[in-house]
Amino acid sequence: MTKERPDSPCIAVCSTAVGDDICRGCARSFDEISNWCFMDAEERERVWLQLPSRQRGLKIAAVFACLPELHQGQDGEWMSVPCLPLWFRMEGDCLRWRAEAGTVCQRDCAGWSPAQVAAFLREQAGIEHN
């Protein structure tokens, strides 16, 4: 059963107009925003379900002072930031990460701030932070 939702996730803080691939306001991709009115209910629901994870990813990427990139793997959607050789995603309180084609690792991050998650990802990538 589909949850009762607004017509759109838009919160009028659009950043795709300035060239961002992922909107800093609603966390949809440029393609999702462009095609929203053409999507059926199932496609829209799939996007709605991705937004909480993307919103956390946006906060983690902000610690690195960049926007994340989205990647579609056979096992779902992943994010990356230019300064790390890892893909990552948040599933509730669980952080999953991997090298682009590597083994998936996970860690419970309940109560962690975006800065703590970013520091942990740096550590996993073997990158020192100055």
Side-chain angles (χ1 to χ4, degrees):
M1 176 177 211
T2 303
K3 249 173 128 172
E4 188 68 30
R5 300 195 188 276
D7 290 337
S8 166
C10 183
I11 60 169
V13 182
C14 303
S15 68
T16 57
V18 296
D20 292 347
D21 289 334
I22 302 170
C23 180
R24 297 178 202 200
C26 69
R28 289 180 294 166
S29 71
F30 177 79
D31 288 340
E32 290 163 346
I33 293 168
S34 300
N35 293 309
W36 189 257
C37 62
F38 303 109
M39 291 180 178
D40 63 28
E42 186 176 309
E43 291 171 310
R44 288 181 181 189
E45 183 64 14
R46 179 192 54 76
V47 173
W48 276 106
L49 293 173
Q50 290 292 335
L51 298 181
S53 176
R54 288 185 190 171
Q55 288 162 342
R56 291 206 51 201
L58 282 165
K59 290 176 184 174
I60 294 164
V63 174
F64 295 104
C66 64
L67 285 173
E69 296 176 9
L70 291 177
H71 307 278
Q72 291 299 324
Q74 290 181 330
D75 55 350
E77 185 174 270
W78 294 85
M79 292 183 153
S80 68
V81 291
C83 59
L84 292 179
L86 301 173
W87 287 9
F88 65 92
R89 69 177 174 222
M90 295 297 303
E91 295 175 357
D93 289 331
C94 183
L95 169 67
R96 296 184 189 277
W97 73 95
R98 69 177 196 189
E100 186 174 334
T103 303
V104 176
C105 302
Q106 66 183 33
R107 169 85 188 237
D108 182 6
C109 296
W112 286 22
S113 70
Q116 289 170 306
V117 174
F120 180 79
L121 287 170
R122 270 191 201 100
E123 183 181 302
Q124 299 310 301
I127 296 173
E128 304 244 346
H129 179 61
N130 297 327

